[in-house]
Amino acid sequence: MVSTNGFAAHSSTTPLVPFAYEHRDPGAKDILIDIQFCGICHSDIHQARNEWGNSLYPMVPGHEIVGTVRAVGSEVKKFKVGDLAAVGCMVDSCRTCPSCSAGEEQYCERQATVFTYNSKGKDGKLTWGGYGEHIVLDEDFALSVPKNLDLAAAAPLLCAGITTYSPLKHWKVGPGKKVGIIGLGGLGHMGLKFSHAFGAHTVQFTTSASKIEDAKKLGADEVILTTKEGWATKHAGSFDFILDCVSAEHDLSPYLSLLKRDGTLCAVGAPEKPASIHAFSVLGRRNYTGSMIGGIAETQGMLDFCSKHNIVSDIEMTSFDKIEEAWECVVKGDVKYRFVLDLKTLKR
Amino acid sequence: MVSTNGFAAHSSTTPLVPFAYEHRDPGAKDILIDIQFCGICHSDIHQARNEWGNSLYPMVPGHEIVGTVRAVGSEVKKFKVGDLAAVGCMVDSCRTCPSCSAGEEQYCERQATVFTYNSKGKDGKLTWGGYGEHIVLDEDFALSVPKNLDLAAAAPLLCAGITTYSPLKHWKVGPGKKVGIIGLGGLGHMGLKFSHAFGAHTVQFTTSASKIEDAKKLGADEVILTTKEGWATKHAGSFDFILDCVSAEHDLSPYLSLLKRDGTLCAVGAPEKPASIHAFSVLGRRNYTGSMIGGIAETQGMLDFCSKHNIVSDIEMTSFDKIEEAWECVVKGDVKYRFVLDLKTLKR
């Protein structure tokens, strides 16, 4: 077994504490990664605090994982010792249903997706995430990290990156399209970078006047302050696609009114309360939908795209002794735009 | 001017009464139709009673119109005197915006769609619907009625027909697709007939056990009684497309859970209250959308399809002296499945 030190939540109401646990010894198709960096995602907090009601403890969070391959099984083909490797939100799935066969393992129709943490593997054992020294997984669910990317800043690509890249690709965002990004946080700033890189006319929606300049620097062609009276009227019926990156409750009606015929508003944030949508808001074949991360092959495609266009996340480095403070900042939205844990700060 | 007798609402709270009014003399591109039959649509009632808050009085309702051409302008090409002709929900639009150019005049982006009644034409004058002897309109917005269809039963095709045909065509319903129809009323029974005729595996959802046999006769491969505990579980994630034909308030969550990845739930009924939709219900790229009637060319295509497949509405004939009773039946859903007014019953 691979003895591992990390940080774990033991209940929904107690802070993260140091925790020793074991990963399986790498099997023939497994790789063992020494984790170097792990991004902090808001869903780490939701799950540690059992805000989605499905938490399994002890829980070692973290699904924005980058590091170096330390060992490979006898049948491993994609990796050799010393390679850079990454892990996102999934480490396994049924692999045979129509969604898995289509490379959309996140939508596994047997609901057999094994998540990187807060999940049980096919062996029935709890999975452990990136707030720890090592991870062991089947190479089929591991990604190769292009060498030209800043490794720490690449970590958030594994969740915030693919979560925004996948729907923008699926709905064919590109030149000639007018695209909106709601919210400029961990997800939003990646959506903005990708939409801009895909060549779309990209409009950032924000409630914070203080973020206007940042949005422009990150690639926004226009920034709309949604606290201004009548902000939606001028843009009615003009958007092809809007990516909703906000988890806080907000009214969708004005955004739906911005869509062209056959336009789509896609949620990637998941507010606790349901949205209230009038049928009149979607007449005209305006679509409301949601998207969840992306498939493994698509995630590799995203990393390769990032390599080519030199895209990473804007990050703030943090350490294990400051996790609780970092989490509070994430809850308040006070981070530009993603915290990344340096595994070197983990005391052994 | 073309003196016309019909029935009109003069306010939201008074019954329909006999009313004499005038249509314009047919211009060079206009046709004058002697109306023979007009379907009764629930939206006639909504608008006469100002339930959408946009009513103009006096109002002669009716937008499921069939009759015989009595006069044609000098430049009319599609019709000659004596031809069967039909009119649906629209009589004009801007004709030049992207939607109009794409044959989707119902989504005119200048919001210049002129509706058949409760609307103002380009001359600024009120339009008058099918609860009257005649209608005058530009031939571009009139339809040809195939001779082999029962004329009275063809009338509801102009609204209930095209409203269900258009989304089923747009989302490519056909062989190999599993399609649901929610509600078996005026809209639902046409959706069922079309989905069946397109070759899809068609599932009727209903709250009425008494409608099961009818649904099967009309073409349903399966009928699901949604009053039964756990009705949705068995069919989770299996539908490509669901057409929601219900205007009464109902919970969309179970229907969204029935959709496959990239499946679509499309509303054609418009409940008064907004739907409550949780982002988790649409993750997996499940789409919630709405569709409104269909374009003019598509409406002609629908009539030609009906001619080929011998599809008309199931109707009950009624008369002008029984309009109020018929309307009450429509409000209660007590009609199989569409009332049609015979214009011969209009006393002159």
Side-chain angles (χ1 to χ4, degrees), chain B residues 255-334:
Chain B
Y255 295 106
L256 288 166
S257 77
L258 298 185
L259 293 175
K260 283 184 187 169
R261 169 171 54 87
D262 297 318
T264 293
L265 170 62
C266 177
V268 288
E272 274 177 61
K273 287 190 188 165
S276 172
I277 298 180
H278 200 289
F280 282 118
S281 299
V282 291
L283 287 185
R285 301 194 308 240
R286 288 161 166 163
N287 300 284
Y288 175 63
T289 188
S291 175
M292 188 175 76
I293 50 175
I296 293 298
E298 187 174 43
T299 304
Q300 189 62 59
M302 181 268 306
L303 288 168
D304 297 344
F305 180 88
C306 287
S307 170
K308 201 171 159 191
H309 295 264
N310 202 28
I311 292 174
V312 288
S313 176
D314 284 21
I315 60 167
E316 297 182 28
M317 293 303 301
T318 189
S319 55
F320 279 88
D321 58 342
K322 290 183 184 148
I323 280 190
E324 290 294 324
E325 289 154 69
W327 276 21
E328 285 318 306
C329 287
V330 170
V331 169
K332 284 186 292 192
D334 179 21

Side-chain angles (χ1 to χ4, degrees), chain A residues 98-99 102 104 107 170-171 261-262 270-272 274-280 282-291, chain B residues 98-99 102 104 107 170-171 261-262 270-280 282-291:
Chain A
S99 286
E104 307 259 24
Y107 302 132
H170 182 78
W171 277 279
R261 170 171 53 87
D262 296 318
E272 275 177 60
S276 172
I277 299 180
H278 201 289
F280 282 119
V282 291
L283 287 185
R285 300 195 309 241
R286 289 162 165 161
N287 300 284
Y288 175 63
T289 188
S291 176
Chain B
S99 287
E104 307 260 23
Y107 302 132
H170 182 77
W171 277 279
R261 169 171 54 87
D262 297 318
E272 274 177 61
K273 287 190 188 165
S276 172
I277 298 180
H278 200 289
F280 282 118
V282 291
L283 287 185
R285 301 194 308 240
R286 288 161 166 163
N287 300 284
Y288 175 63
T289 188
S291 175

Side-chain angles (χ1 to χ4, degrees), chain B residues 22-48:
Chain B
E22 289 180 329
H23 280 287
R24 67 176 179 258
D25 281 322
K29 287 202 66 205
D30 287 340
I31 64 171
L32 163 60
I33 300 173
D34 286 337
I35 299 175
Q36 289 176 255
F37 301 102
C38 183
I40 294 178
C41 177
H42 202 148
S43 60
D44 297 345
I45 305 168
H46 285 306
Q47 292 178 85

Side-chain angles (χ1 to χ4, degrees), chain A residues 1-5 19-25 125-126 128:
Chain A
M1 305 298 273
V2 181
S3 295
T4 309
N5 292 298
F19 179 61
Y21 53 103
E22 291 179 327
H23 281 287
R24 67 175 180 261
D25 281 322
K125 293 188 180 160
L126 272 179
W128 312 110

Side-chain angles (χ1 to χ4, degrees), chain A residues 250-277:
Chain A
H250 56 291
D251 183 10
L252 296 180
S253 309
Y255 295 106
L256 288 166
S257 77
L258 298 185
L259 294 174
K260 285 183 186 170
R261 170 171 53 87
D262 296 318
T264 293
L265 170 63
C266 177
V268 288
E272 275 177 60
K273 288 190 189 166
S276 172
I277 299 180

Side-chain angles (χ1 to χ4, degrees), chain B residues 43-82:
Chain B
S43 60
D44 297 345
I45 305 168
H46 285 306
Q47 292 178 85
R49 296 182 178 170
N50 198 20
E51 288 166 358
W52 295 344
N54 66 346
S55 293
L56 304 170
Y57 300 100
M59 182 192 304
V60 177
H63 56 207
E64 297 184 336
I65 297 168
V66 290
T68 308
V69 176
R70 200 225 292 187
V72 298
S74 56
E75 293 172 19
V76 166
K77 291 189 181 122
K78 277 170 31 184
F79 297 93
K80 59 184 193 308
V81 172

Side-chain angles (χ1 to χ4, degrees), chain A residues 166-203:
Chain A
S166 178
L168 291 167
K169 285 293 269 191
H170 182 78
W171 277 279
K172 300 184 170 52
V173 159
K177 298 290 177 83
K178 184 170 173 183
V179 173
I181 308 289
I182 311 178
L184 189 61
L187 290 169
H189 94 290
M190 290 309 310
L192 176 51
K193 287 184 183 200
F194 284 129
S195 178
H196 175 70
F198 292 157
H201 181 89
T202 305
V203 180

